[in-house]
Amino acid sequence: GTAALAGPASAASSTVVGSAYGIYSSVGFSGATPNVVGPTPTVTLPVGGSATPVTATDPSESVTVGPGQLFSSGPVTVTTQGTAALGSVTSTADVSGCTTTDTTTGCVTGQITENPLTATHIASTCTANGSAQTGSAAITDGVLADEVNGATTSVPVPANPPPNNTFTGVNPSTGAPYKFVFNEQVINANGSLTVNAVHQTLNATLSGTQIVGDVSCGAPATPNPYSPLAPARICDTRAGNPSGLSGSAAQCNGKTIGAGTSLTVNVAGS
């Protein structure tokens, strides 16, 4: 018989995935229809990708539910860029502090407020190429207010939090429990990576979720190299060894393989 050996092959996606947004909030009073804001601003790679950055900017953001101010910030910029030909995708989200103090929006100059979180800058980024996906978040001057035994304490947030860095506590201004995940990283069903700089979950009088700095990246996988090898005859069961095999290759000369049976041979060489 004749055997041919080949290296592994892999099927690679021909599409690139890239998107980003600044803020998304879906929060409401328990049992009531949530107040939805965003996602805004938002960008998405077109089919086939883009070799130049796709960019969107909002001058400021504000989220209010009832009398409560849930979020306020200054300028927000999001970008995404990448093509299959380039072999990589990069998405970014950048949220800055308020440019002025405004009591109607809860803005304090230079500050981002997401009660009970304050910071001066929040950013996230992700990059995907044919062999890897990476993501990160940056929280500048981040502080969480927490109530412990009736006293308010300040909990610093890492400037470069590790993936899925989770904090729980009690909001001193409302008495409600909270959960924050910084640099939240999720692998999606299509294989792309999503990074949320901040993901807050509320589950008390107010319930819902709020995300700041969402970026997603996905790129075609790099195919494994394929090296076809020339077929080589390693056994000839015909009488007289008409193939002229020698050495270990001639070991089955004169032997036959009957229906439903097998013949074991040793294969050597390089």
mmCIF file with all atom_site columns, all heavy atoms in Angstrom, residues 1 233-256 263-268:
data_model
loop_
_atom_site.group_PDB
_atom_site.id
_atom_site.type_symbol
_atom_site.label_atom_id
_atom_site.label_alt_id
_atom_site.label_comp_id
_atom_site.label_asym_id
_atom_site.label_entity_id
_atom_site.label_seq_id
_atom_site.pdbx_PDB_ins_code
_atom_site.Cartn_x
_atom_site.Cartn_y
_atom_site.Cartn_z
_atom_site.occupancy
_atom_site.B_iso_or_equiv
_atom_site.pdbx_formal_charge
_atom_site.auth_seq_id
_atom_site.auth_comp_id
_atom_site.auth_asym_id
_atom_site.auth_atom_id
_atom_site.pdbx_PDB_model_num
ATOM 1   N N   . GLY A 1 1   ? 0.823  -1.183  0.000  1.00 0.00 ? 1   GLY A N   1
ATOM 2   C CA  . GLY A 1 1   ? 0.000  0.000   0.000  1.00 0.00 ? 1   GLY A CA  1
ATOM 3   C C   . GLY A 1 1   ? 0.858  1.233   0.000  1.00 0.00 ? 1   GLY A C   1
ATOM 4   O O   . GLY A 1 1   ? 2.074  1.179   0.114  1.00 0.00 ? 1   GLY A O   1
ATOM 5   N N   . ARG A 1 233 ? 6.169  4.535   -0.881 1.00 0.00 ? 233 ARG A N   1
ATOM 6   C CA  . ARG A 1 233 ? 5.697  3.167   -0.735 1.00 0.00 ? 233 ARG A CA  1
ATOM 7   C C   . ARG A 1 233 ? 6.498  2.494   0.380  1.00 0.00 ? 233 ARG A C   1
ATOM 8   O O   . ARG A 1 233 ? 7.730  2.512   0.376  1.00 0.00 ? 233 ARG A O   1
ATOM 9   C CB  . ARG A 1 233 ? 5.874  2.393   -2.042 1.00 0.00 ? 233 ARG A CB  1
ATOM 10  C CG  . ARG A 1 233 ? 5.253  0.986   -2.012 1.00 0.00 ? 233 ARG A CG  1
ATOM 11  C CD  . ARG A 1 233 ? 5.434  0.281   -3.349 1.00 0.00 ? 233 ARG A CD  1
ATOM 12  N NE  . ARG A 1 233 ? 4.648  0.897   -4.402 1.00 0.00 ? 233 ARG A NE  1
ATOM 13  C CZ  . ARG A 1 233 ? 3.356  0.655   -4.626 1.00 0.00 ? 233 ARG A CZ  1
ATOM 14  N NH1 . ARG A 1 233 ? 2.697  -0.185  -3.840 1.00 0.00 ? 233 ARG A NH1 1
ATOM 15  N NH2 . ARG A 1 233 ? 2.723  1.248   -5.602 1.00 0.00 ? 233 ARG A NH2 1
ATOM 16  N N   . ILE A 1 234 ? 5.786  1.934   1.350  1.00 0.00 ? 234 ILE A N   1
ATOM 17  C CA  . ILE A 1 234 ? 6.476  1.300   2.476  1.00 0.00 ? 234 ILE A CA  1
ATOM 18  C C   . ILE A 1 234 ? 6.208  -0.193  2.560  1.00 0.00 ? 234 ILE A C   1
ATOM 19  O O   . ILE A 1 234 ? 6.789  -0.875  3.407  1.00 0.00 ? 234 ILE A O   1
ATOM 20  C CB  . ILE A 1 234 ? 6.058  1.961   3.807  1.00 0.00 ? 234 ILE A CB  1
ATOM 21  C CG1 . ILE A 1 234 ? 4.542  1.835   4.017  1.00 0.00 ? 234 ILE A CG1 1
ATOM 22  C CG2 . ILE A 1 234 ? 6.494  3.418   3.869  1.00 0.00 ? 234 ILE A CG2 1
ATOM 23  C CD1 . ILE A 1 234 ? 4.068  2.305   5.375  1.00 0.00 ? 234 ILE A CD1 1
ATOM 24  N N   . CYS A 1 235 ? 5.349  -0.715  1.685  1.00 0.00 ? 235 CYS A N   1
ATOM 25  C CA  . CYS A 1 235 ? 5.066  -2.145  1.740  1.00 0.00 ? 235 CYS A CA  1
ATOM 26  C C   . CYS A 1 235 ? 4.478  -2.594  0.409  1.00 0.00 ? 235 CYS A C   1
ATOM 27  O O   . CYS A 1 235 ? 3.699  -1.860  -0.205 1.00 0.00 ? 235 CYS A O   1
ATOM 28  C CB  . CYS A 1 235 ? 4.089  -2.439  2.882  1.00 0.00 ? 235 CYS A CB  1
ATOM 29  S SG  . CYS A 1 235 ? 3.814  -4.194  3.185  1.00 0.00 ? 235 CYS A SG  1
ATOM 30  N N   . ASP A 1 236 ? 4.875  -3.783  -0.042 1.00 0.00 ? 236 ASP A N   1
ATOM 31  C CA  . ASP A 1 236 ? 4.335  -4.333  -1.284 1.00 0.00 ? 236 ASP A CA  1
ATOM 32  C C   . ASP A 1 236 ? 4.027  -5.803  -1.034 1.00 0.00 ? 236 ASP A C   1
ATOM 33  O O   . ASP A 1 236 ? 4.924  -6.625  -0.821 1.00 0.00 ? 236 ASP A O   1
ATOM 34  C CB  . ASP A 1 236 ? 5.348  -4.185  -2.418 1.00 0.00 ? 236 ASP A CB  1
ATOM 35  C CG  . ASP A 1 236 ? 4.708  -4.461  -3.787 1.00 0.00 ? 236 ASP A CG  1
ATOM 36  O OD1 . ASP A 1 236 ? 3.641  -5.098  -3.808 1.00 0.00 ? 236 ASP A OD1 1
ATOM 37  O OD2 . ASP A 1 236 ? 5.286  -4.031  -4.787 1.00 0.00 ? 236 ASP A OD2 1
ATOM 38  N N   . THR A 1 237 ? 2.735  -6.149  -1.025 1.00 0.00 ? 237 THR A N   1
ATOM 39  C CA  . THR A 1 237 ? 2.328  -7.529  -0.727 1.00 0.00 ? 237 THR A CA  1
ATOM 40  C C   . THR A 1 237 ? 2.287  -8.409  -1.970 1.00 0.00 ? 237 THR A C   1
ATOM 41  O O   . THR A 1 237 ? 1.965  -9.597  -1.878 1.00 0.00 ? 237 THR A O   1
ATOM 42  C CB  . THR A 1 237 ? 0.934  -7.532  -0.061 1.00 0.00 ? 237 THR A CB  1
ATOM 43  O OG1 . THR A 1 237 ? 0.000  -6.916  -0.954 1.00 0.00 ? 237 THR A OG1 1
ATOM 44  C CG2 . THR A 1 237 ? 0.949  -6.773  1.260  1.00 0.00 ? 237 THR A CG2 1
ATOM 45  N N   . ARG A 1 238 ? 2.618  -7.832  -3.108 1.00 0.00 ? 238 ARG A N   1
ATOM 46  C CA  . ARG A 1 238 ? 2.581  -8.649  -4.330 1.00 0.00 ? 238 ARG A CA  1
ATOM 47  C C   . ARG A 1 238 ? 3.800  -9.575  -4.376 1.00 0.00 ? 238 ARG A C   1
ATOM 48  O O   . ARG A 1 238 ? 4.902  -9.205  -3.950 1.00 0.00 ? 238 ARG A O   1
ATOM 49  C CB  . ARG A 1 238 ? 2.565  -7.750  -5.555 1.00 0.00 ? 238 ARG A CB  1
ATOM 50  C CG  . ARG A 1 238 ? 1.297  -6.879  -5.654 1.00 0.00 ? 238 ARG A CG  1
ATOM 51  C CD  . ARG A 1 238 ? 1.405  -5.874  -6.771 1.00 0.00 ? 238 ARG A CD  1
ATOM 52  N NE  . ARG A 1 238 ? 2.469  -4.898  -6.532 1.00 0.00 ? 238 ARG A NE  1
ATOM 53  C CZ  . ARG A 1 238 ? 2.822  -3.939  -7.388 1.00 0.00 ? 238 ARG A CZ  1
ATOM 54  N NH1 . ARG A 1 238 ? 2.170  -3.844  -8.560 1.00 0.00 ? 238 ARG A NH1 1
ATOM 55  N NH2 . ARG A 1 238 ? 3.782  -3.096  -7.088 1.00 0.00 ? 238 ARG A NH2 1
ATOM 56  N N   . ALA A 1 239 ? 3.561  -10.778 -4.896 1.00 0.00 ? 239 ALA A N   1
ATOM 57  C CA  . ALA A 1 239 ? 4.645  -11.764 -4.965 1.00 0.00 ? 239 ALA A CA  1
ATOM 58  C C   . ALA A 1 239 ? 5.804  -11.235 -5.788 1.00 0.00 ? 239 ALA A C   1
ATOM 59  O O   . ALA A 1 239 ? 5.616  -10.609 -6.831 1.00 0.00 ? 239 ALA A O   1
ATOM 60  C CB  . ALA A 1 239 ? 4.118  -13.060 -5.574 1.00 0.00 ? 239 ALA A CB  1
ATOM 61  N N   . GLY A 1 240 ? 7.016  -11.509 -5.335 1.00 0.00 ? 240 GLY A N   1
ATOM 62  C CA  . GLY A 1 240 ? 8.209  -11.120 -6.072 1.00 0.00 ? 240 GLY A CA  1
ATOM 63  C C   . GLY A 1 240 ? 8.648  -9.688  -5.806 1.00 0.00 ? 240 GLY A C   1
ATOM 64  O O   . GLY A 1 240 ? 9.618  -9.216  -6.413 1.00 0.00 ? 240 GLY A O   1
ATOM 65  N N   . ASN A 1 241 ? 7.939  -8.953  -4.956 1.00 0.00 ? 241 ASN A N   1
ATOM 66  C CA  . ASN A 1 241 ? 8.324  -7.586  -4.607 1.00 0.00 ? 241 ASN A CA  1
ATOM 67  C C   . ASN A 1 241 ? 8.599  -6.751  -5.858 1.00 0.00 ? 241 ASN A C   1
ATOM 68  O O   . ASN A 1 241 ? 9.695  -6.247  -6.072 1.00 0.00 ? 241 ASN A O   1
ATOM 69  C CB  . ASN A 1 241 ? 9.572  -7.610  -3.704 1.00 0.00 ? 241 ASN A CB  1
ATOM 70  C CG  . ASN A 1 241 ? 9.957  -6.228  -3.189 1.00 0.00 ? 241 ASN A CG  1
ATOM 71  O OD1 . ASN A 1 241 ? 9.140  -5.297  -3.164 1.00 0.00 ? 241 ASN A OD1 1
ATOM 72  N ND2 . ASN A 1 241 ? 11.211 -6.114  -2.768 1.00 0.00 ? 241 ASN A ND2 1
ATOM 73  N N   . PRO A 1 242 ? 7.580  -6.607  -6.743 1.00 0.00 ? 242 PRO A N   1
ATOM 74  C CA  . PRO A 1 242 ? 7.804  -5.876  -7.999 1.00 0.00 ? 242 PRO A CA  1
ATOM 75  C C   . PRO A 1 242 ? 8.184  -4.400  -7.792 1.00 0.00 ? 242 PRO A C   1
ATOM 76  O O   . PRO A 1 242 ? 8.711  -3.763  -8.707 1.00 0.00 ? 242 PRO A O   1
ATOM 77  C CB  . PRO A 1 242 ? 6.457  -6.001  -8.716 1.00 0.00 ? 242 PRO A CB  1
ATOM 78  C CG  . PRO A 1 242 ? 5.463  -6.277  -7.655 1.00 0.00 ? 242 PRO A CG  1
ATOM 79  C CD  . PRO A 1 242 ? 6.183  -7.082  -6.626 1.00 0.00 ? 242 PRO A CD  1
ATOM 80  N N   . SER A 1 243 ? 7.951  -3.846  -6.601 1.00 0.00 ? 243 SER A N   1
ATOM 81  C CA  . SER A 1 243 ? 8.334  -2.459  -6.355 1.00 0.00 ? 243 SER A CA  1
ATOM 82  C C   . SER A 1 243 ? 9.821  -2.315  -6.084 1.00 0.00 ? 243 SER A C   1
ATOM 83  O O   . SER A 1 243 ? 10.341 -1.196  -6.051 1.00 0.00 ? 243 SER A O   1
ATOM 84  C CB  . SER A 1 243 ? 7.558  -1.902  -5.154 1.00 0.00 ? 243 SER A CB  1
ATOM 85  O OG  . SER A 1 243 ? 6.169  -1.902  -5.396 1.00 0.00 ? 243 SER A OG  1
ATOM 86  N N   . GLY A 1 244 ? 10.508 -3.466  -5.889 1.00 0.00 ? 244 GLY A N   1
ATOM 87  C CA  . GLY A 1 244 ? 11.945 -3.411  -5.648 1.00 0.00 ? 244 GLY A CA  1
ATOM 88  C C   . GLY A 1 244 ? 12.295 -2.823  -4.304 1.00 0.00 ? 244 GLY A C   1
ATOM 89  O O   . GLY A 1 244 ? 13.364 -2.199  -4.146 1.00 0.00 ? 244 GLY A O   1
ATOM 90  N N   . LEU A 1 245 ? 11.413 -3.004  -3.315 1.00 0.00 ? 245 LEU A N   1
ATOM 91  C CA  . LEU A 1 245 ? 11.681 -2.458  -1.993 1.00 0.00 ? 245 LEU A CA  1
ATOM 92  C C   . LEU A 1 245 ? 12.792 -3.256  -1.327 1.00 0.00 ? 245 LEU A C   1
ATOM 93  O O   . LEU A 1 245 ? 12.947 -4.450  -1.542 1.00 0.00 ? 245 LEU A O   1
ATOM 94  C CB  . LEU A 1 245 ? 10.416 -2.504  -1.142 1.00 0.00 ? 245 LEU A CB  1
ATOM 95  C CG  . LEU A 1 245 ? 9.194  -1.733  -1.700 1.00 0.00 ? 245 LEU A CG  1
ATOM 96  C CD1 . LEU A 1 245 ? 8.002  -1.901  -0.769 1.00 0.00 ? 245 LEU A CD1 1
ATOM 97  C CD2 . LEU A 1 245 ? 9.529  -0.266  -1.880 1.00 0.00 ? 245 LEU A CD2 1
ATOM 98  N N   . SER A 1 246 ? 13.542 -2.582  -0.472 1.00 0.00 ? 246 SER A N   1
ATOM 99  C CA  . SER A 1 246 ? 14.642 -3.253  0.221  1.00 0.00 ? 246 SER A CA  1
ATOM 100 C C   . SER A 1 246 ? 14.618 -2.867  1.689  1.00 0.00 ? 246 SER A C   1
ATOM 101 O O   . SER A 1 246 ? 13.922 -1.943  2.101  1.00 0.00 ? 246 SER A O   1
ATOM 102 C CB  . SER A 1 246 ? 15.987 -2.849  -0.405 1.00 0.00 ? 246 SER A CB  1
ATOM 103 O OG  . SER A 1 246 ? 16.189 -1.440  -0.305 1.00 0.00 ? 246 SER A OG  1
ATOM 104 N N   . GLY A 1 247 ? 15.401 -3.573  2.468  1.00 0.00 ? 247 GLY A N   1
ATOM 105 C CA  . GLY A 1 247 ? 15.482 -3.289  3.889  1.00 0.00 ? 247 GLY A CA  1
ATOM 106 C C   . GLY A 1 247 ? 14.146 -3.530  4.571  1.00 0.00 ? 247 GLY A C   1
ATOM 107 O O   . GLY A 1 247 ? 13.389 -4.424  4.219  1.00 0.00 ? 247 GLY A O   1
ATOM 108 N N   . SER A 1 248 ? 13.848 -2.683  5.577  1.00 0.00 ? 248 SER A N   1
ATOM 109 C CA  . SER A 1 248 ? 12.614 -2.869  6.339  1.00 0.00 ? 248 SER A CA  1
ATOM 110 C C   . SER A 1 248 ? 11.377 -2.693  5.478  1.00 0.00 ? 248 SER A C   1
ATOM 111 O O   . SER A 1 248 ? 10.308 -3.213  5.792  1.00 0.00 ? 248 SER A O   1
ATOM 112 C CB  . SER A 1 248 ? 12.574 -1.875  7.504  1.00 0.00 ? 248 SER A CB  1
ATOM 113 O OG  . SER A 1 248 ? 12.616 -0.538  7.017  1.00 0.00 ? 248 SER A OG  1
ATOM 114 N N   . ALA A 1 249 ? 11.470 -1.940  4.359  1.00 0.00 ? 249 ALA A N   1
ATOM 115 C CA  . ALA A 1 249 ? 10.316 -1.735  3.496  1.00 0.00 ? 249 ALA A CA  1
ATOM 116 C C   . ALA A 1 249 ? 9.864  -3.019  2.816  1.00 0.00 ? 249 ALA A C   1
ATOM 117 O O   . ALA A 1 249 ? 8.743  -3.109  2.335  1.00 0.00 ? 249 ALA A O   1
ATOM 118 C CB  . ALA A 1 249 ? 10.626 -0.661  2.443  1.00 0.00 ? 249 ALA A CB  1
ATOM 119 N N   . ALA A 1 250 ? 10.773 -4.016  2.737  1.00 0.00 ? 250 ALA A N   1
ATOM 120 C CA  . ALA A 1 250 ? 10.447 -5.267  2.043  1.00 0.00 ? 250 ALA A CA  1
ATOM 121 C C   . ALA A 1 250 ? 9.894  -6.328  2.989  1.00 0.00 ? 250 ALA A C   1
ATOM 122 O O   . ALA A 1 250 ? 9.716  -7.473  2.593  1.00 0.00 ? 250 ALA A O   1
ATOM 123 C CB  . ALA A 1 250 ? 11.695 -5.805  1.338  1.00 0.00 ? 250 ALA A CB  1
ATOM 124 N N   . GLN A 1 251 ? 9.610  -5.976  4.214  1.00 0.00 ? 251 GLN A N   1
ATOM 125 C CA  . GLN A 1 251 ? 9.234  -6.972  5.218  1.00 0.00 ? 251 GLN A CA  1
ATOM 126 C C   . GLN A 1 251 ? 7.908  -7.681  4.927  1.00 0.00 ? 251 GLN A C   1
ATOM 127 O O   . GLN A 1 251 ? 7.669  -8.760  5.434  1.00 0.00 ? 251 GLN A O   1
ATOM 128 C CB  . GLN A 1 251 ? 9.163  -6.316  6.608  1.00 0.00 ? 251 GLN A CB  1
ATOM 129 C CG  . GLN A 1 251 ? 8.095  -5.221  6.718  1.00 0.00 ? 251 GLN A CG  1
ATOM 130 C CD  . GLN A 1 251 ? 8.203  -4.417  7.995  1.00 0.00 ? 251 GLN A CD  1
ATOM 131 O OE1 . GLN A 1 251 ? 7.960  -4.959  9.057  1.00 0.00 ? 251 GLN A OE1 1
ATOM 132 N NE2 . GLN A 1 251 ? 8.575  -3.154  7.888  1.00 0.00 ? 251 GLN A NE2 1
ATOM 133 N N   . CYS A 1 252 ? 7.010  -7.068  4.115  1.00 0.00 ? 252 CYS A N   1
ATOM 134 C CA  . CYS A 1 252 ? 5.745  -7.755  3.853  1.00 0.00 ? 252 CYS A CA  1
ATOM 135 C C   . CYS A 1 252 ? 5.763  -8.468  2.504  1.00 0.00 ? 252 CYS A C   1
ATOM 136 O O   . CYS A 1 252 ? 4.714  -8.903  2.023  1.00 0.00 ? 252 CYS A O   1
ATOM 137 C CB  . CYS A 1 252 ? 4.565  -6.782  3.923  1.00 0.00 ? 252 CYS A CB  1
ATOM 138 S SG  . CYS A 1 252 ? 4.671  -5.421  2.751  1.00 0.00 ? 252 CYS A SG  1
ATOM 139 N N   . ASN A 1 253 ? 6.926  -8.566  1.875  1.00 0.00 ? 253 ASN A N   1
ATOM 140 C CA  . ASN A 1 253 ? 7.022  -9.273  0.603  1.00 0.00 ? 253 ASN A CA  1
ATOM 141 C C   . ASN A 1 253 ? 6.534  -10.710 0.766  1.00 0.00 ? 253 ASN A C   1
ATOM 142 O O   . ASN A 1 253 ? 6.996  -11.450 1.619  1.00 0.00 ? 253 ASN A O   1
ATOM 143 C CB  . ASN A 1 253 ? 8.463  -9.258  0.113  1.00 0.00 ? 253 ASN A CB  1
ATOM 144 C CG  . ASN A 1 253 ? 8.600  -9.934  -1.243 1.00 0.00 ? 253 ASN A CG  1
ATOM 145 O OD1 . ASN A 1 253 ? 7.674  -9.896  -2.059 1.00 0.00 ? 253 ASN A OD1 1
ATOM 146 N ND2 . ASN A 1 253 ? 9.745  -10.548 -1.462 1.00 0.00 ? 253 ASN A ND2 1
ATOM 147 N N   . GLY A 1 254 ? 5.558  -11.082 -0.067 1.00 0.00 ? 254 GLY A N   1
ATOM 148 C CA  . GLY A 1 254 ? 5.036  -12.439 -0.035 1.00 0.00 ? 254 GLY A CA  1
ATOM 149 C C   . GLY A 1 254 ? 3.900  -12.638 0.948  1.00 0.00 ? 254 GLY A C   1
ATOM 150 O O   . GLY A 1 254 ? 3.260  -13.684 0.953  1.00 0.00 ? 254 GLY A O   1
ATOM 151 N N   . LYS A 1 255 ? 3.667  -11.643 1.830  1.00 0.00 ? 255 LYS A N   1
ATOM 152 C CA  . LYS A 1 255 ? 2.550  -11.744 2.762  1.00 0.00 ? 255 LYS A CA  1
ATOM 153 C C   . LYS A 1 255 ? 1.320  -11.112 2.122  1.00 0.00 ? 255 LYS A C   1
ATOM 154 O O   . LYS A 1 255 ? 1.421  -10.181 1.342  1.00 0.00 ? 255 LYS A O   1
ATOM 155 C CB  . LYS A 1 255 ? 2.869  -11.045 4.083  1.00 0.00 ? 255 LYS A CB  1
ATOM 156 C CG  . LYS A 1 255 ? 4.095  -11.633 4.799  1.00 0.00 ? 255 LYS A CG  1
ATOM 157 C CD  . LYS A 1 255 ? 4.403  -10.844 6.060  1.00 0.00 ? 255 LYS A CD  1
ATOM 158 C CE  . LYS A 1 255 ? 5.642  -11.410 6.755  1.00 0.00 ? 255 LYS A CE  1
ATOM 159 N NZ  . LYS A 1 255 ? 6.005  -10.616 7.956  1.00 0.00 ? 255 LYS A NZ  1
ATOM 160 N N   . THR A 1 256 ? 0.168  -11.629 2.491  1.00 0.00 ? 256 THR A N   1
ATOM 161 C CA  . THR A 1 256 ? -1.073 -11.088 1.921  1.00 0.00 ? 256 THR A CA  1
ATOM 162 C C   . THR A 1 256 ? -1.963 -10.561 3.041  1.00 0.00 ? 256 THR A C   1
ATOM 163 O O   . THR A 1 256 ? -1.810 -10.927 4.211  1.00 0.00 ? 256 THR A O   1
ATOM 164 C CB  . THR A 1 256 ? -1.825 -12.165 1.137  1.00 0.00 ? 256 THR A CB  1
ATOM 165 O OG1 . THR A 1 256 ? -2.123 -13.258 2.007  1.00 0.00 ? 256 THR A OG1 1
ATOM 166 C CG2 . THR A 1 256 ? -1.000 -12.661 -0.041 1.00 0.00 ? 256 THR A CG2 1
ATOM 167 N N   . LEU A 1 263 ? -2.399 -6.515  8.710  1.00 0.00 ? 263 LEU A N   1
ATOM 168 C CA  . LEU A 1 263 ? -1.000 -6.905  8.602  1.00 0.00 ? 263 LEU A CA  1
ATOM 169 C C   . LEU A 1 263 ? -0.176 -5.812  9.256  1.00 0.00 ? 263 LEU A C   1
ATOM 170 O O   . LEU A 1 263 ? -0.295 -4.628  8.923  1.00 0.00 ? 263 LEU A O   1
ATOM 171 C CB  . LEU A 1 263 ? -0.592 -7.073  7.129  1.00 0.00 ? 263 LEU A CB  1
ATOM 172 C CG  . LEU A 1 263 ? 0.887  -7.366  6.877  1.00 0.00 ? 263 LEU A CG  1
ATOM 173 C CD1 . LEU A 1 263 ? 1.278  -8.721  7.449  1.00 0.00 ? 263 LEU A CD1 1
ATOM 174 C CD2 . LEU A 1 263 ? 1.163  -7.339  5.342  1.00 0.00 ? 263 LEU A CD2 1
ATOM 175 N N   . THR A 1 264 ? 0.621  -6.163  10.230 1.00 0.00 ? 264 THR A N   1
ATOM 176 C CA  . THR A 1 264 ? 1.431  -5.184  10.969 1.00 0.00 ? 264 THR A CA  1
ATOM 177 C C   . THR A 1 264 ? 2.826  -5.100  10.355 1.00 0.00 ? 264 THR A C   1
ATOM 178 O O   . THR A 1 264 ? 3.463  -6.122  10.116 1.00 0.00 ? 264 THR A O   1
ATOM 179 C CB  . THR A 1 264 ? 1.537  -5.568  12.437 1.00 0.00 ? 264 THR A CB  1
ATOM 180 O OG1 . THR A 1 264 ? 0.231  -5.617  13.023 1.00 0.00 ? 264 THR A OG1 1
ATOM 181 C CG2 . THR A 1 264 ? 2.389  -4.547  13.215 1.00 0.00 ? 264 THR A CG2 1
ATOM 182 N N   . VAL A 1 265 ? 3.239  -3.884  10.069 1.00 0.00 ? 265 VAL A N   1
ATOM 183 C CA  . VAL A 1 265 ? 4.586  -3.675  9.531  1.00 0.00 ? 265 VAL A CA  1
ATOM 184 C C   . VAL A 1 265 ? 5.257  -2.586  10.356 1.00 0.00 ? 265 VAL A C   1
ATOM 185 O O   . VAL A 1 265 ? 4.628  -1.768  11.010 1.00 0.00 ? 265 VAL A O   1
ATOM 186 C CB  . VAL A 1 265 ? 4.548  -3.251  8.064  1.00 0.00 ? 265 VAL A CB  1
ATOM 187 C CG1 . VAL A 1 265 ? 3.926  -4.339  7.183  1.00 0.00 ? 265 VAL A CG1 1
ATOM 188 C CG2 . VAL A 1 265 ? 3.794  -1.945  7.865  1.00 0.00 ? 265 VAL A CG2 1
ATOM 189 N N   . ASN A 1 266 ? 6.578  -2.605  10.356 1.00 0.00 ? 266 ASN A N   1
ATOM 190 C CA  . ASN A 1 266 ? 7.361  -1.572  11.026 1.00 0.00 ? 266 ASN A CA  1
ATOM 191 C C   . ASN A 1 266 ? 7.824  -0.541  10.003 1.00 0.00 ? 266 ASN A C   1
ATOM 192 O O   . ASN A 1 266 ? 8.305  -0.899  8.918  1.00 0.00 ? 266 ASN A O   1
ATOM 193 C CB  . ASN A 1 266 ? 8.573  -2.203  11.725 1.00 0.00 ? 266 ASN A CB  1
ATOM 194 C CG  . ASN A 1 266 ? 8.153  -3.140  12.840 1.00 0.00 ? 266 ASN A CG  1
ATOM 195 O OD1 . ASN A 1 266 ? 7.277  -2.818  13.627 1.00 0.00 ? 266 ASN A OD1 1
ATOM 196 N ND2 . ASN A 1 266 ? 8.780  -4.322  12.888 1.00 0.00 ? 266 ASN A ND2 1
ATOM 197 N N   . VAL A 1 267 ? 7.675  0.736   10.322 1.00 0.00 ? 267 VAL A N   1
ATOM 198 C CA  . VAL A 1 267 ? 8.090  1.799   9.426  1.00 0.00 ? 267 VAL A CA  1
ATOM 199 C C   . VAL A 1 267 ? 9.246  2.549   10.063 1.00 0.00 ? 267 VAL A C   1
ATOM 200 O O   . VAL A 1 267 ? 9.172  2.983   11.205 1.00 0.00 ? 267 VAL A O   1
ATOM 201 C CB  . VAL A 1 267 ? 6.932  2.770   9.143  1.00 0.00 ? 267 VAL A CB  1
ATOM 202 C CG1 . VAL A 1 267 ? 7.395  3.892   8.219  1.00 0.00 ? 267 VAL A CG1 1
ATOM 203 C CG2 . VAL A 1 267 ? 5.762  2.029   8.526  1.00 0.00 ? 267 VAL A CG2 1
ATOM 204 N N   . ALA A 1 268 ? 10.328 2.671   9.337  1.00 0.00 ? 268 ALA A N   1
ATOM 205 C CA  . ALA A 1 268 ? 11.492 3.406   9.835  1.00 0.00 ? 268 ALA A CA  1
ATOM 206 C C   . ALA A 1 268 ? 11.987 4.340   8.753  1.00 0.00 ? 268 ALA A C   1
ATOM 207 O O   . ALA A 1 268 ? 11.652 4.188   7.582  1.00 0.00 ? 268 ALA A O   1
ATOM 208 C CB  . ALA A 1 268 ? 12.597 2.401   10.223 1.00 0.00 ? 268 ALA A CB  1
#
